[in-house]
Amino acid sequence: MIQYWQQRDGGKLVKTKLEDLDAEKRTWVDARIVTREDVELLQSVYDIDPEHILDILDPDELSRLEDGDGYTLTITRLPIFDHTAETQYFTVPLGIIIKENFIITVCWTDCEVLKDFALGRVKGIQLSDFPAFIIRIISRADLMFLRYLKDINRRSSGIQSELQLSIENNEIMQLLSLEKSLVYFTTSLKSNQMLLEKFRKTRLIKLDTDDMEWLDDVEIDNRQAIEMADTYRNVLLGTMDAFDSVISNNLNNYMKKLAILNIIMMVPTFITSFFGMNFPLPLESMGEWATWTTLGICVISVFITNAILNISEKRFPRSNQKKQKKLQANKKNKEKRNLRRMRSIEAALQE
C-alpha cells in the first residue's frame, strides 16, 4: 500500500492522490505492507535498485547509510508490537530513500512510528528539510523503544509475581519471549547508534546547525534506551536463574521423598518374593489372628514412614531455605546495582 503526503499551509501533512500531486512541492511516499505490485511500481517509477528493495524487505537487515544511483538510501530499525505474534515485541527495518523532491519510506509491515507521522502526532515536521525528517523518524523510534521497554519491564514484574505463587510452564515461556524481545531491541538500538554516528561523518546527507543539535538529543535518547534494555535484560536473566534454582530445589525434595518411599516399599516386596507358594508362611498357624497381626504391622509401618518423612522435611528444608535466602539476597543485590546504574545514567543525562 503506497500513500502520498504533501505539506500544506500551516505545516499539516495531507494525503494526496497521485494525479493531484504538486510537482513543485516535496512529497513523502509512504509505502507500508508493500506488495509485489508496490515493489514493481517503486522500481519502475523511481528507478530504485532491486537489491536495495530486497535489503529493505529483509527482516534481519541492520541500519546503514548508502549511496545509490541518483538517490541516498538510509535503513534504520523500528520497534513493533504485535499481540498475535509469538514474540510480541520485535524490530523491523525501515528504508528511507531521498531522490530529488521525493522522500520514500518502505516497510514490509505497519508500525506505530509511521502511523504517528501520518496522523499528525509528531510536531514540527518539515518536508522541505529531508535530513531533519529522517532524524525525526529515528527520534520517534527511540521514544517508542523506551515506551515498549517500560511495557516489557511491567509485564516481566507481573509474570514474576505469578511465578512466586506457582511455577507454570506458560509463565516461563512468556519470560523467555520477553528476553528474546530485549535481545532484538538491544541489537537494533546499537545498530541505530552506529547509524547516528555515521550521520556526523558522512557527506551523503548535509546537516545544518539545527539538525546537529537535534541529532545530539537523539543520540542521548538512543543511549538511554540501550542502557535500559541492557539493565532490564540483566534483571530478567537473574530472575530466571533464581527460578531455575527454585525448580531444582523442589525437584530434589520430591526425589528425596520418592527415594524414602522406594526404600520402605522394598521391605514388603522382599518378604512377599522370599516366601513363595512352596514355603510355609509366617503366622500361618495363628488363624484369624494372622490377619489382625498383619494389619497391625501395616499400620505401624505407616506411622514409621510418616515419622521418617517428617524428619527429612525438618532436616533438609533448612539447607534449602538457606539456599533460597541466599538466591533472594543475590537477586536483591543485582536489582540494587541495576537501580543505582539507572539512576547514575539518568543523572548524567540530566546534566
Side-chain angles (χ1 to χ4, degrees):
M1 179 180 65
I2 299 179
Q3 297 177 343
Y4 302 91
W5 302 83
Q6 285 189 335
Q7 204 161 24
R8 303 302 184 190
D9 296 337
K12 184 179 180 180
L13 290 177
V14 179
K15 185 189 298 185
T16 309
K17 295 182 179 179
L18 179 60
E19 57 272 12
D20 297 334
L21 291 177
D22 189 352
E24 297 181 357
K25 292 185 177 181
R26 294 196 168 187
T27 305
W28 171 30
V29 182
D30 181 14
R32 280 178 276 172
I33 319 177
V34 292
T35 61
R36 184 182 298 272
E37 291 77 11
D38 297 334
V39 172
E40 293 176 354
L41 178 64
L42 293 174
Q43 292 176 0
S44 60
V45 176
Y46 302 102
D47 195 18
I48 301 175
D49 190 350
E51 293 184 358
H52 287 164
I53 297 292
L54 293 177
D55 291 341
I56 296 172
L57 300 180
D58 184 5
D60 300 325
E61 190 68 24
L62 296 178
S63 304
R64 74 172 193 267
L65 180 63
E66 189 174 336
D67 187 16
D69 187 9
Y71 59 86
T72 302
L73 171 65
T74 304
I75 298 179
T76 185
R77 305 286 302 187
L78 300 181
I80 299 292
F81 171 72
D82 185 4
H83 67 279
T84 61
E86 181 179 358
T87 303
Q88 297 182 351
Y89 297 92
F90 56 96
T91 61
V92 296
L94 173 69
I96 307 173
I97 300 171
I98 298 177
K99 183 172 183 180
E100 298 174 353
N101 284 340
F102 296 93
I103 182 167
I104 308 168
T105 58
V106 183
C107 187
W108 60 267
T109 185
D110 202 355
C111 59
E112 195 69 23
V113 174
L114 296 179
K115 286 182 180 179
D116 291 342
F117 276 79
L119 296 176
R121 298 172 183 168
V122 183
K123 305 300 181 182
I125 300 176
Q126 294 294 331
L127 285 181
S128 58
D129 189 355
F130 283 162
F133 188 81
I134 297 177
I135 297 175
R136 290 277 184 178
I137 291 178
I138 301 176
S139 174
R140 194 68 181 182
D142 287 338
L143 293 178
M144 297 305 300
F145 270 118
L146 293 172
R147 183 184 302 175
Y148 289 158
L149 284 171
K150 293 179 181 178
D151 291 341
I152 291 175
N153 185 47
R154 193 180 302 111
R155 293 184 61 182
S156 176
S157 300
I159 295 172
Q160 293 172 25
S161 300
E162 294 177 0
L163 285 174
Q164 290 178 358
L165 300 177
S166 62
I167 299 177
E168 300 291 341
N169 293 334
N170 187 25
E171 282 78 8
I172 295 176
M173 295 304 298
Q174 290 180 14
L175 287 179
L176 289 174
S177 177
L178 294 179
E179 181 189 357
K180 188 185 296 184
S181 299
L182 291 174
V183 173
Y184 291 157
F185 278 17
T186 303
T187 305
S188 299
L189 286 167
K190 292 180 179 178
S191 180
N192 287 350
Q193 185 66 28
M194 296 176 63
L195 176 64
L196 294 173
E197 294 174 357
K198 192 171 183 180
F199 275 158
R200 296 183 178 277
K201 304 175 183 179
T202 185
R203 297 181 179 178
L204 297 177
I205 296 179
K206 296 180 180 180
L207 302 177
D208 55 20
T209 305
D210 294 336
D211 294 338
M212 293 297 292
E213 292 179 356
W214 185 255
L215 185 62
D216 293 336
D217 297 335
V218 175
E219 286 183 346
I220 292 174
D221 292 337
N222 198 78
R223 290 195 191 97
Q224 182 183 3
I226 293 174
E227 294 295 335
M228 287 181 63
D230 289 336
T231 302
Y232 291 158
R233 184 166 179 258
N234 292 332
V235 172
L236 186 58
L237 289 175
T239 303
M240 294 184 67
D241 291 340
F243 282 119
D244 288 340
S245 301
V246 172
I247 293 172
S248 299
N249 290 334
N250 293 337
L251 180 61
N252 291 334
N253 292 333
Y254 287 124
M255 294 302 295
K256 291 174 183 177
K257 293 180 180 180
L258 289 175
I260 295 173
L261 289 175
N262 287 331
I263 294 173
I264 295 173
M265 293 301 296
M266 286 177 62
V267 177
T269 303
F270 173 77
I271 295 174
T272 55
S273 61
F274 181 77
F275 293 98
M277 295 179 63
N278 297 327
F279 291 89
L281 297 176
L283 308 177
E284 186 176 7
S285 60
M286 297 179 63
E288 295 181 356
W289 289 101
T291 304
W292 294 104
T293 304
T294 305
L295 182 61
I297 294 173
C298 293
V299 172
I300 293 172
S301 63
V302 169
F303 282 106
I304 294 174
T305 303
N306 188 24
I308 294 174
L309 290 176
N310 290 332
I311 293 172
S312 64
E313 288 180 356
K314 290 179 180 179
R315 289 182 178 179
F316 295 116
R318 293 180 181 176
S319 60
N320 293 332
Q321 288 176 0
K322 291 181 180 179
K323 292 180 181 179
Q324 292 179 0
K325 289 181 180 179
K326 186 176 180 181
L327 291 172
Q328 291 177 357
N330 292 333
K331 178 183 174 182
K332 290 181 180 179
N333 291 331
K334 287 183 180 179
E335 291 179 353
K336 289 180 180 179
R337 288 197 299 269
N338 291 326
L339 287 175
R340 287 196 298 266
R341 186 180 177 188
M342 288 296 298
R343 289 173 181 174
S344 61
I345 293 170
E346 292 177 356
L349 293 175
Q350 290 176 358
E351 292 178 357

